[in-house]
Every structure is written in structure tokens, then in C-alpha cells.
Amino acid sequence: MQYLMIKDAIEEQIESGMLKSGHKLPSERVLAESFSTTRITLREALNHLALSGKVYKEERRGWFVSTDTLSFNPVTDTDFAKVCQKQKWHYAVSSISAQRVLAPKEIAETLQLPPFSYVIMQTKLWTIEGRKAAVQYQYAPEKQFSSIAMIDEDANLTEYLKVHYLCESQKNRVKVEVAPATELESSTLNISSGSMLMSITQTAINNQNISYLLQVLRISHDLVTIEIE
Amino acid sequence: MQYLMIKDAIEEQIESGMLKSGHKLPSERVLAESFSTTRITLREALNHLALSGKVYKEERRGWFVSTDTLSFNPVTDTDFAKVCQKQKWHYAVSSISAQRVLAPKEIAETLQLPPFSYVIMQTKLWTIEGRKAAVQYQYAPEKQFSSIAMIDEDANLTEYLKVHYLCESQKNRVKVEVAPATELESSTLNISSGSMLMSITQTAINNQNISYLLQVLRISHDLVTIEIE
DNA sequence: GAGTGGTCTAGACCACTGT
DNA sequence: CAGTGGTCTAGACCACTCC
């Protein structure tokens, strides 16, 4: 299998330090030629490498060497900013949208909301080490937090609930899956539509055992390691 | 994008119930012709469908419609057999190998073993609803369990430790990742080499806070949903 | 405008599966 | 044995990024 040999060859270049984190690989055409093969076979090799988290690609920009992964415990870590800080990663958050919406069915069920409840929905883009890394969706029920409709869209929702409502979670309900990127996610993250993302859904529960915040982090799988406890 | 339309068309056939769980899809050549395209484009569509867990393929046998997922809480569920039983799935376990080996570095570190420790290593194949679904590796330190070297290779290790040593875990340390299948895994599970598996690593800890069992479940991602708490 | 990946065509031969 | 997926060739045009 030619593509496996190509994969190993590129992998070795990475392991040996010839290609460093964040560096761009030569173009598919150049690589294909240098391995005397076609682009299809070459892409097969790169796709396999991407699965193991060694490289990733950005839509129409090229293939890059992955950085180390961020360790994330979704059961205890509710504030993703703190996770990045603790591991001293350079990160930036920017708001994609913030709206007051009728709770979608799935959200209403998870947060145990009555019909026709409104939630504040924030969508954010996380940039980590200069790379568009994740899209995050946060949903907080309006009824529990009366002033929340006025929240600044760039505010940290987790922090806001903690400061203004003393709502802090020690423990979350968590769901982990892999799933293809949606249209919004692929265009926001500059990845090809339908490519794989790690999806981490957290439901934060307060002292009174009430779910007060639901958040979904959809992050490139080569960037995160999920470790619990 | 033609392949997205093909993907949607096949997806709709599944959702509508025309193609049922476990059924085989027509061959790639037949599908390609019926969508008036080439096998490469058709495979692109199927690969995307596979990522969302709707279909899976077996090496040289064809593409099949996925079944529902098994819900698994790796923090509390140490015995995978019980998980299957609780959800009333038909399953079978068979031993691939059982050996006494010098603990590999990573295992020794996780189980906090001194150098040159031996562990009992069991490798098992899980067949779920007639499908080769997962490979499981289990490591138990020999020193803690003197009689363990004589364990039957078909025995349930979790059950054995519970019955003979009263070792039962309420809570595990857990790591979740996606990773390409190894050679052993692909040939055992009849999947193509390097295809994606969900990898769940559990370290069971007893009352005295000592790690006594490490197990790794490598399972087709369309078969399992990880839900904690 | 040159270069990139995204998508697609129309074939081919091989190794393996199922009968 | 016929049929399947696994792998590969040698091109093509397009939409987009970067300079």
C-alpha cells in the first residue's frame, strides 16, 4: 500500500522535527510529485494522518502540522477560557452571534424547560494558538436569570452567571461524540464541510440540582484530549 | 457538490426506513451507476455518511446501515458486559489472547507500577448484534492479584477481581479519543486499516485509592454514545 | 494572476469474499 | 468462479486564497 508508505514518510518528517507544529506542508501537487504518485493517493495518506491528529487542513489553504493537544475535563471544567489559561495557551474568543430565542426542542428537554421558554443563545469562535479551533454554543434559560437578556455578547457567560447569580457548577452532565461539521462550523473554522469535529456537550447543574446552562463545544479533534478525573 | 446530494439521497433512504439497520447497501459500482457518477465520488459521499455514524463498512464486504448506539458511561461502568445487558443488546465476547507480560511503559505509569512489573493482559473481541464491534485490552498487575496468572482466558476479568479480591470500582479515571485502527484491530474487526475508532481508556481505582485495572475499549464510533452522569 | 485545495471523470488491476 | 471493495493512474475544471 503506497499511501501507507507515504503516510509513514510524512509522519517521520514530523516526528523527527523537520516539520514543526503549525508549519504548512508543501502543496498536494508538490507532495504527489515528490512521491511519484497522484493527488488522490497522496490525499489518502494525508487523510489517514489527519485521523491520527498529526496534521490538519484548512479549506483551500493547505495542510498544517498539528500542535499538542489541550487536556480538557468536561465534567469539572465549565469555563473553557480557564482551561486554556491553565495550560498557558494563547487563545481568543469572539462572538459570532447572541440572541434570545425560543428554546429548540432538544435544549428545552435537557434544561427541563416548559414549552415556549426562551433561552439566551451565544455562539462563539475560539482561536487557539492562532488557529480557528472551535465553535461554542451556550444556552441559558431566561427565566432563571432575569437580567441576562441585556448581557454583552462578548461577555463570558459562565463568569457572568457566577458573579451575578452565584451559579457555579462543580460537576456537569457530559456527552462526547464525533460528528461532521455543520455549514456554520465549516465556514467559521475554515474547514471543509462535513469534516470531523469532536463534540462535547455539557449541562451545568447548580446546588439545587437544577440545570442552568447548556454548552456545546465543537472542536477540531487533533486539538483536545478528553481526560476525566 | 454532487457528493453531498448523493449523501443526502442515501441518508433519506435510511431515515425513511427503506434501508434498515444492519442491511447491506448495493455495491459501490451499482450505486455509482445509479447516481450517474464514478466510484470515487460515490465513496466520498459514503465516507461522509460514515462519519455521521449512519453507515459503516466492512473490509471487502460492503457498506451497511448502522444500528442505534449503545449509551456508555465510562466513569461508572467498568464492566462492558453489563452495559450491553442493561440495554438488552445481543453480544458475545471472545478471547483473542491472554498473556503474562512485562508491563509496557505507558501501562506501568498509569498503574503506578515499579520497573519490571508483570501484568496480565487480556485481549478480547466484542461482537454486538452480530457485528464485530470492538477490541478490548485489559491489564491487571500480577502483584496485587496472586492467583491471576491462572485465570481462564475467557473469564470476565472485572467479575473475577470483584469475586476473588472484592475489588470493585465506583469511579474510574477516563480518557476518550478518536484514533486510527491498528493492524490487529482492523483485521479483527474486518475494517480497513487505519479507519476511525473511538478509544475509551479506563483506570479503575479501589477504596484504597490504588489503580488496579486498566482497560481500553476500541469501538466503532457509530456504535456508542458516551454519556457521563 | 498564480497557486491552492475541492471536486470530478473514466478508466485499471489486485486481493479478497461468498457461493 | 463472479462480485466486492482496495488501491491507483492521469488527467480535468472550478472556486477560492494569497500576493
Side-chain angles (χ1 to χ4, degrees), chain A residues 197-224:
Chain A
L197 288 179
M198 182 73 88
S199 175
I200 303 163
T201 306
Q202 301 171 286
T203 313
I205 296 168
N206 66 13
N207 315 344
Q208 285 95 55
N209 214 29
I210 293 176
S211 315
Y212 68 92
L213 175 66
L214 187 152
Q215 48 188 7
V216 182
L217 186 70
R218 296 175 65 88
I219 184 165
S220 302
H221 85 284
D222 63 302
L223 264 170
V224 70

Side-chain angles (χ1 to χ4, degrees), chain B residues 1-3 29 36-41 44 60-61:
Chain B
M1 269 89 77
Q2 196 179 342
Y3 77 89
R29 283 175 179 81
S36 307
T37 185
T38 56
R39 270 179 73 205
I40 291 196
T41 302
E44 185 83 5
R60 289 175 207 283
R61 297 196 54 238

Side-chain angles (χ1 to χ4, degrees), chain A residues 178-190:
Chain A
V178 292
T182 63
E183 281 307 317
L184 170 70
E185 288 152 5
S186 6
S187 62
T188 307
L189 300 176
N190 288 134

